[in-house]
Amino acid sequence: MHNNMPISHRAIAQLMPMHVWLTPDGRIRAAGRCFQKLCRDCDLEGRLFTEVFDIRRPRSARSINGLLKADGVQLQLSLIAPPHTTLKGVVVPLEKDGGVLINLSFGIAVVDAVADFGLTLDDFAATDLTVELLYLVEAKAAVMDELRKLNTRLQGARIAAEEQAFTDTLTGLKNRRALEHVTARLQDHGQDFGLMHLDLDYFKAVNDTYGHAAGDHVLQQVAKILVEETRVNDTVVRIGGDEFVLVFEGPIDMKRLDRVAHRIIERLEAPISYDGAQCSVSASIGTTMSSFYQSPDWETMQRDADMALYASKRAGRSRVTLAAIQDRRGQVASG
Amino acid sequence: MHGLINRSIQCFLQDTYGPPLWRSVAEESGVGGDGFEAMLNYEDRLTDDVLGAACRHLDKSREALLEDMGTYLVSNPRLENLRRLLRFGGSNFLQFLHSLDDLRGRAKLAVDDLDLPDLEVIDDSPVAFRLECRWHWPGSGHLMTGLLRAMADDYGALVLLEVQDARNGVETVVVELLDSAFSEGRSFDLAARAG
């Protein structure tokens, strides 16, 4: 069966813009239009192929003789001159001592090669998917860029939403930001209120012994108790970690405030179970009331409640201290 | 309608007619203050409302507005990415025209939920073509006419374009290629610019 295909070099050049035709002694005889761009200013014709390319694989094809015998072998090679572009190729021998034909491709290095050698759409065969690959690289980059922008905007929106939120996400109590609103309102209206600072005792031990999940559970149970022990109009705030602020609005006296504080401590001291463990905490509390002050201002009251709280801590924890007021009315209260 | 298309309409209105017009259009049509997100999907109705509001404000027909937008998509420097992606279609206008058969597929390769018009190019003679546009949304013929006009300029080709009335949901653009090398056109470097 006659299966020799007569084909001109012109036709080969049409089909394979990256081919190179070597003479039997391994010199470049002719090449495709894309191949010629690999060596921008020099004439490749007549040069030894192995002077232009470093053949990395297979090792047997590194010499001219080996290359000429490498029928159908896949080559990995790179340009000896900068930018040392890597290429892959296939070698086939030509009949009647015509030398060999090598067809090359850039493989994944094509993105850089297009820039390095100033390649154009017409440098690639119409059947070559390289242009589609380049299109995809750019399209994907543009899409990724849009997605990155979207993510940045969403991230910004999330931060803004968090900043505006008034709720402590762990306990469902009000947060510090909400407290600012409450105090501003109270100050504007000038109505009487009681203030309680509460700091958990032995909470660190729960965290250290049973882990943060146990600690979070305890905080949630504490929050539940605080809500149960206050009225609807009162505000319970987790201002951070294991610190809470309670604002009692409306008619309230020293005795009631003290009673509520003691009941809270009593309930908090009941062990809280978590995953088989019994977590025990208590609380130190400092309280003060707006009626103690001639012109109650929030900052002073907070400081006084805080000092009372630390007095409770120093006195051995698990107790309530009423703020000692060096008040203009000359009233000194302590508990 | 895909956010990329809605976002394109938004950019077109903002860049061409100024931010105040866009704000009025967005407010009237119920688009949020930040406008469209390119990577989200929206109801077609919203796109219709935006275009409708823009037409009223500008006293322009929907067809004329879409044609201007097609031109804007190719010629505005802010959308250089898009022009580049279109230029991947071929090294001259004729090749580009034939590549439109694949436009929808190419777009899907990049963004798989992007639903572009289904285009078919019919060669009536070596210089006369018909571009048939099928889409779920009316106006693709005018959009493509504007886009083709700008792409012809980009390639330096001289063309005559005419949209025929829609028939059976197909909008046809008649393309007459008078001179494929009428001017130099704009350059296209296959290598993407750094950055």
Side-chain angles (χ1 to χ4, degrees), chain A residues 10-87:
Chain A
R10 202 188 127 273
I12 291 287
Q14 283 276 335
L15 290 171
M16 296 184 262
M18 268 290 274
H19 82 277
V20 53
W21 177 11
L22 302 189
T23 60
D25 57 350
R27 292 182 186 278
I28 295 172
R29 178 163 168 189
R33 60 185 184 276
C34 189
F35 181 90
Q36 283 167 7
K37 287 196 172 177
L38 292 183
C39 183
R40 278 155 294 191
D41 298 318
C42 56
D43 189 6
L44 288 167
E45 209 180 307
R47 289 184 64 186
L48 274 174
F49 188 73
T50 47
E51 278 177 13
V52 183
F53 292 100
D54 176 21
I55 300 171
R56 297 178 170 185
R57 283 199 193 85
R59 297 192 65 81
S60 61
R62 286 175 74 90
S63 68
I64 290 293
N65 281 338
L67 182 64
L68 292 171
K69 286 184 203 127
D71 183 358
V73 166
Q74 270 197 38
L75 301 177
Q76 275 186 34
L77 56 167
S78 60
L79 269 179
I80 289 173
H84 314 293
T85 308
T86 58
L87 297 119

Side-chain angles (χ1 to χ4, degrees), chain A residues 4-16 21 94 101:
Chain A
N4 282 351
M5 176 165 56
I7 184 165
S8 67
H9 178 248
R10 202 188 127 273
I12 291 287
Q14 283 276 335
L15 290 171
M16 296 184 262
W21 177 11
L94 298 175
L101 180 67

